[in-house]
Amino acid sequence: MLLEVKGLNAGYGFLQVLWDVSLYVAQGEFVALVGPNGAGKTTTLRTIAGLIPPRQGEIFFKGELISKLAAHKISQMGISFVSESLNLFTAMSVHENLLLGAYVVRDRQKQLETLDFVYHLFPRLKERRNQLAGTLSGGERKMLAIGRGMMSNPDLLLVDEPSLGLAPNLTLDVFNALETLRQQGVTILLVEQNVNTTLHITDRAYVLEQGRIALEGKSKELLENKHVKEAFLGM
Amino acid sequence: MARSSVQSTIVFEVLRRLTTAAGITIILSVVAVIVSAVVAGPFTLVNAIVTGGMWALLAVGLSLVFGVMNIPNFAHGEFFMVGTLVSYLVFTPLHKYLRQNPSSVLSTVAPFAGIFAALLVGALLGVVVEKLIFFQLRRRSREQWVMNSFLLTVGLSVVMINGHQLLWGTNFKGIPRYWDVKPIDLFGVNISMDRAVALGLAVVTIAIFWFFLMRTRTGRAIRAVAQDETGAQMVGIDLNRIQVLTMALSSALAAMAGASLLFMFPSYPTVGLKPLYVAWYVVILVGLGNVAGATIGGFLVALLQTLTSYFIGVGWEDVVPTALIILILLFKPSGLFGSEVKGVWEQ
Ligand SMILES: Nc1ncnc2c1ncn2[C@@H]1O[C@H](COP(=O)(O)OP(=O)(O)OP(=O)(O)O)[C@@H](O)[C@H]1O
Ligand SMILES: [Mg+2]
């Protein structure tokens, strides 16, 4: 198992957000985590990425316990987190942001190969390589954040709501990019509001409600699930 | 018709640029440079440039620590003091020894030994301060960080000043000059070797530092932490390492500035206060956390001080920059070169 989360409790200050969350992602899988606003999806990803310490429970990555490691160590182990707020380096160029994405990659040749791949995936970024990240459009920022996440050649990509605030055609671009990555063999854990599309492109999915895993299963089967249809698909 | 309107838009654009805060300052300082060179003589100008280089070194470090670690460092001047002290302690015995055993090669090198020792001790002290003080505070609580770290730096400053007084007393520990050689003749102006070397060191150090920040992997990581701490952790940057390094660099630059100016500022417990205030003038003038602006600002403030003491009188040189800062903050609170590049979703 690539990623395994067992009985995770986490939160902020006095507020506990996650209650006994367990999930796994196998090598090469494309897994979705969906749920209503405030359910704790972002909190789950932030905890896996090491930005919030878990209160209880364990997180294993490639068989190693990572729930006590600092965020930069977890990133160095091969988990890339593309956050909702993107956390781009706004006063640096697109190119420098990408180079920083490859901060843990010492091999210059490898860096350049991945850079080529990212520019190929998002030609837009190549056109704007010298522009400051802070001056990019919303869609371009998403692409840059995903591209930066790819630059370290991660084994697991955590992506938080890439379609948020994007026009439908740009959303499609972003989903296509994720599909391409997935075909390249990248394992992805995706958080999305856009439940319909997400369940169509992913293998498996978890439904998080009020900080607990309410449902899990094959994405195709969840599409037929009565509760999912009523709560998320408006049917 | 069309052509003249194009021309007028260009003229308009140029005028607009020149009337921004940064534009006005640059025009005014160019005028000031010319006026001071003509009226006060080129020597005043040289003096302004030499001290300007040192203010720039101090301001760059101060600005970096604020940008990367969000610490308003009011103990920065004490690292300048440590620099003067270390260089004095290393250079004086060497100098005595050389008086008895003259050697022209060693006499040329000895001052550098003092300055280099100051640089090293400054860096080391920076590491100790980060590990012993700021790291501990960070681990305990990040609430009210700017205020708490500010108070800690004030305390640190008091401790360092009194430490100096306790161990080495309050008397002036200075030297008349580092190099006993004839002044250099530059465009008809005599510049003492000490001044020339101080300026050279400042310029070279700032250039190397600039290259390091802009072009190397670690320098880029420092800037990344300044811009987005969470983002930096996400790409695998070890915050602790960057924080230690930043503090060490900033203190080393301050100590080096102190050491190279030992011939102007003899070492005594509170010698760091004036450089501290000046470095803060510069940083407030150009905008907090703006390293590039701090370099230009260092020279601007020195020029302003020199002109003030020449035209208004010695003793007034701190009044005019302060008044100017009040004016600037009234009209442009983000500082002269304060940038507006911030992401829509950031901060
Ligand atoms: N930094 C924080 N401090 C305190 N509470 C927080 C913080 N971040 C999130 N919360 C709270 O934790 C709960 C879960 O938030 P989270 O961001 O994980 O939800 P989400 O499922 O990602 O929602 P959305 O779909 O709106 O992004 C919410 O009630 C939120 O108010
Ligand atoms: Mg969220």
Side-chain angles (χ1 to χ4, degrees), chain A residues 12 15 17 36-43 84 161 193:
Chain A
Y12 309 88
L15 174 75
V17 175
N37 290 112
K41 306 177 298 288
T42 299
T43 307
E84 204 174 357
E161 305 220 17
Q193 296 274 348

Side-chain angles (χ1 to χ4, degrees), chain A residues 67-135:
Chain A
S67 32
K68 295 219 163 55
L69 295 183
H72 71 272
K73 283 267 163 56
I74 293 177
S75 153
Q76 287 168 7
M77 282 186 68
I79 297 183
S80 253
F81 176 33
V82 180
S83 61
E84 204 174 357
S85 51
L86 307 183
N87 297 102
L88 294 174
F89 307 117
T90 49
M92 288 193 219
S93 67
V94 167
H95 191 70
E96 277 197 301
N97 268 274
L98 291 177
L99 286 183
L100 273 162
Y103 181 76
V104 297
V105 182
R106 293 290 189 147
D107 182 353
R108 181 110 184 105
Q109 193 55 41
K110 182 109 201 185
Q111 262 186 28
L112 291 179
E113 273 168 28
T114 322
L115 194 64
D116 265 355
F117 170 72
V118 169
Y119 279 151
H120 184 73
L121 194 64
F122 301 114
R124 246 327 233 253
L125 293 182
K126 190 168 188 175
E127 283 167 33
R128 318 223 151 227
R129 64 198 297 278
N130 292 321
Q131 193 173 326
L132 294 187
T135 63

Side-chain angles (χ1 to χ4, degrees), chain A residues 71-76 100-101 103-104, chain B residues 217 230-239 241:
Chain A
H72 71 272
K73 283 267 163 56
I74 293 177
S75 153
Q76 287 168 7
L100 273 162
Y103 181 76
V104 297
Chain B
R217 175 173 178 270
T230 310
Q233 284 173 288
M234 278 160 44
V235 299
I237 296 170
D238 182 349
L239 285 188
R241 228 190 96 230

Side-chain angles (χ1 to χ4, degrees), chain B residues 278-339:
Chain B
V278 176
W280 273 107
Y281 291 157
V282 173
V283 170
I284 293 170
L285 189 71
V286 299
L288 282 165
N290 182 341
V291 174
T295 313
I296 307 172
F299 288 100
L300 279 185
V301 169
L303 194 67
L304 206 62
Q305 287 176 320
T306 319
L307 286 182
T308 313
S309 61
Y310 184 82
F311 286 108
I312 303 180
V314 179
W316 285 87
E317 64 265 21
D318 292 336
V319 178
V320 171
T322 320
L324 191 72
I325 282 169
I326 294 173
L327 275 180
I328 286 169
L329 289 183
L330 279 177
F331 292 105
K332 201 160 181 307
S334 56
L336 280 181
F337 304 100
S339 74

